[in-house]
Amino acid sequence: DAGITQSPRHKVTETGTPVTLRCHQTENHRYMYWYRQDPGHGLRLIHYSYGVKDTDKGEVSDGYSVSRSKTEDFLLTLESATSSQTSVYFCAISAGYETGNTIYFGEGSWLTVV
Amino acid sequence: GIQVEQSPPDLILQEGANSTLRCNFSDSVNNLQWFHQNPWGQLINLFYIPSGTKQNGRLSATTVATERYSLLYISSSQTTDSGVYFCAVGTLTDSWGKLQFGAGTQVVVTP
């Protein structure tokens, strides 16, 4: 257990509304990531963070923003949700070079945009 | 970007059988990990293995970085091994921990 908690775990929202997903970790890891998983596309990186207030874009960042004001929290915001953002969202952390750079995932957040 | 191909896409096994899953990648990597996604959607890290061989119980993995492939071996399969197995890689030019995932191998183990 890497101490990763995602919230909410399930959400249904309407097109055009903003949505924020939260990832909370308890082990002070520096690196955090947001992935989305879709049938036929596998897992794709949305955004990642390498420290407080240090973030960068991944492969599919359009329509998403992130913030990291504390080491333990990494927020993913859908600025104006669209049906194409219906997906399963996974937060992940990297345990870092000292522990072999192993990636651990949270349990996922199922988002449906109607 | 780097291409990651996993084979076979689907695999049906009888309980107790052995199997080999393959991951080919198109460029040099300094990060390779295997994950198992169970039928409830949970993603579990199996191995961090950019090179060499590792074993963990009935599972083992080998990466031959110079030939750009990795193998995951499942021995004496059990129904709890069912799910999707993903290979994910990172290259020297990627920021720390950024991974490119393959499409996965769907494994079904029947009693």
Side-chain angles (χ1 to χ4, degrees):
Chain A
D1 183 2
I4 306 168
T5 305
Q6 292 186 227
S7 60
R9 296 289 316 281
H10 296 88
K11 186 174 182 65
V12 179
T13 192
E14 293 186 348
T15 298
T17 61
V19 176
T20 295
L21 306 180
R22 180 185 184 231
C23 179
H24 179 79
Q25 57 140 332
T26 60
E27 299 187 4
N28 209 35
H29 295 298
R30 178 180 174 188
Y31 296 91
M32 299 184 75
Y33 313 85
W34 278 106
Y35 284 86
R36 61 177 289 175
Q37 185 176 27
D38 306 288
H41 291 281
L43 283 139
R44 293 178 292 174
L45 182 65
I46 305 170
H47 281 279
Y48 66 100
S49 170
Y50 45 96
V52 173
K53 298 186 179 178
D54 291 324
T55 65
D56 206 347
K57 296 179 180 180
E59 180 185 356
V60 288
S61 59
D62 287 348
Y64 301 93
S65 62
V66 290
S67 66
R68 193 166 177 201
S69 58
K70 299 184 290 184
T71 299
E72 59 266 35
D73 289 326
F74 191 32
L75 304 181
L76 177 71
T77 297
L78 288 64
E79 295 142 6
S80 177
T82 67
S83 59
S84 65
Q85 293 176 311
T86 293
S87 187
V88 184
Y89 292 86
F90 287 95
C91 174
I93 61 94
S94 171
Y97 179 78
E98 296 80 7
T99 52
N101 194 28
T102 302
I103 301 290
Y104 296 99
F105 283 91
E107 295 186 330
S109 294
W110 276 253
L111 178 67
T112 301
V113 183
V114 298
Chain B
I2 190 169
Q3 304 300 309
V4 183
E5 295 183 357
Q6 293 187 241
S7 60
D10 300 282
L11 191 59
I12 299 175
L13 301 169
Q14 195 154 21
E15 204 166 21
N18 302 327
S19 64
T20 301
L21 282 58
R22 187 176 180 102
C23 172
N24 291 332
F25 41 94
S26 61
D27 201 351
S28 298
V29 300
N30 65 346
N31 189 345
L32 189 146
Q33 305 194 29
W34 283 96
F35 298 88
H36 174 225
Q37 187 168 37
N38 66 26
W40 297 272
Q42 189 178 15
L43 281 157
I44 305 297
N45 190 294
L46 299 176
F47 294 103
Y48 167 70
I49 186 166
S51 63
T53 297
K54 290 186 177 180
Q55 182 158 7
N56 184 2
R58 297 181 296 101
L59 300 180
S60 63
T62 295
T63 297
V64 184
T66 54
E67 297 187 20
R68 299 183 183 173
Y69 72 89
S70 183
L71 303 174
L72 179 69
Y73 306 96
I74 305 174
S75 64
S76 303
S77 58
Q78 300 177 358
T79 55
T80 53
D81 295 330
S82 295
V84 183
Y85 290 81
F86 290 102
C87 168
V89 303
T91 68
L92 290 169
T93 58
D94 288 328
S95 295
W96 192 257
K98 286 181 64 179
L99 298 175
Q100 181 70 39
F101 280 76
T105 293
Q106 174 85 53
V107 173
V108 175
V109 182
T110 61

